[in-house]
Amino acid sequence: MYSCRDGSKVDAHFLADGLTLDISRVPDGKPERLSAPATGLTFIGHKVNVTISDGDTMVITRADAKSLPCRRIRTISLSKSETQTAAYMRGADHD
């Protein structure tokens, strides 16, 4: 869960491939699916891009609005594979 500068909250879910991200405004936003061409690059969706840095900061950029910075406020328990994917995305598990 992320809290954004405009007071909104955004839920973000990474899929197991680490290159797909679902975001939605809480409590009743429609989910949006974005994808990145490679680990560490911007997630791209229909008229929306998301950049994540350090796992704690997300910037949502929409075609019709200013960039919206958001900070992580809550995490959930992850399965082992999700934890490994998150570590890989942070660069902590590159073998």
Side-chain angles (χ1 to χ4, degrees):
M1 181 78 63
Y2 289 79
S3 178
C4 302
R5 184 176 288 166
D6 67 355
S8 65
K9 295 201 177 9
V10 175
D11 200 10
H13 296 279
F14 293 92
L15 276 62
D17 66 3
L19 301 176
T20 307
L21 172 67
D22 287 342
I23 62 168
S24 60
R25 285 196 180 240
V26 174
D28 55 4
K30 179 181 175 186
E32 297 176 86
R33 179 156 289 179
L34 299 91
S35 60
T39 301
L41 298 181
T42 299
F43 290 87
I44 301 167
H46 181 69
K47 296 186 179 182
V48 61
N49 293 340
V50 171
T51 303
I52 298 177
S53 58
D54 299 328
D56 290 329
T57 303
M58 172 175 24
V59 178
I60 302 169
T61 305
R62 296 188 180 278
D64 59 350
K66 292 182 180 181
S67 294
L68 180 62
C70 307
R71 302 259 327 145
R72 184 178 3 206
I73 58 172
R74 181 179 63 177
T75 59
I76 58 170
S77 297
L78 301 176
S79 69
K80 182 177 179 182
S81 65
E82 290 171 321
T83 301
Q84 290 170 336
T85 298
Y88 178 81
M89 291 182 64
R90 287 191 310 270
D93 196 23
H94 293 274
D95 289 283

